Amino acid sequence: MNDLFDVEVHKMHHKNAADTEVEAAQKIAPKVPILRVRVLNYIKDRGPVGATGEEVANGIDEWLYSVKPRITELVRADLVIDSGRRVKNKRKRNEIVWVALEEDSNHV
């Protein structure tokens, strides 16, 4: 991913993915750029407090399994980092608290 708006569908599913996984990647691909921006802006808005994937999904009213891959993409783009903190999600499992790498509050 060179920027937030690059979408490489072949990287959005496993190498030998089932047809349903490929279809899901193709279906969400047009929405990916705006989802990345929404996820990034939500995390930026949280400042140093950051947010977990579950918090982001709830905060932008999106499906968790659409949000978490976007966080991974933002990490790979050096826009979001692991804060080192963990909090329990609603399933009582630890979740990473993500923060925006840039400290300013500018939005994409």
Side-chain angles (χ1 to χ4, degrees):
M1 179 174 79
N2 294 331
D3 67 34
L4 290 176
F5 302 102
D6 285 345
V7 177
E8 298 175 277
V9 177
H10 68 280
K11 290 185 178 180
M12 293 172 54
H13 56 75
H14 294 95
K15 184 177 180 181
N16 296 314
D19 59 329
T20 54
E21 185 179 344
V22 173
E23 181 181 340
Q26 291 169 339
K27 185 170 182 163
I28 197 168
K31 301 174 187 176
V32 166
I34 194 65
L35 274 173
R36 285 180 189 149
V37 170
R38 291 178 65 211
V39 168
L40 180 58
N41 285 340
Y42 186 86
I43 294 171
K44 281 184 174 184
D45 284 347
R46 301 279 298 181
V49 171
T52 65
E54 184 175 80
E55 291 168 337
V56 173
N58 291 335
I60 66 171
D61 195 27
E62 289 290 343
W63 192 41
L64 181 64
Y65 296 107
S66 294
V67 168
K68 285 202 171 192
R70 307 301 71 88
I71 293 172
T72 299
E73 292 162 354
L74 294 170
V75 168
R76 289 180 183 152
D78 294 324
L79 296 170
V80 170
I81 59 170
D82 180 339
S83 69
R85 290 177 281 134
R86 305 292 184 265
V87 296
K88 300 279 184 198
N89 61 23
K90 67 182 178 184
R91 293 172 311 284
K92 307 292 187 234
R93 292 197 168 88
N94 282 328
E95 225 182 305
I96 295 169
V97 176
W98 302 101
V99 293
L101 191 56
E102 303 169 338
E103 291 297 319
D104 63 40
S105 61
N106 295 333
H107 289 83
V108 177

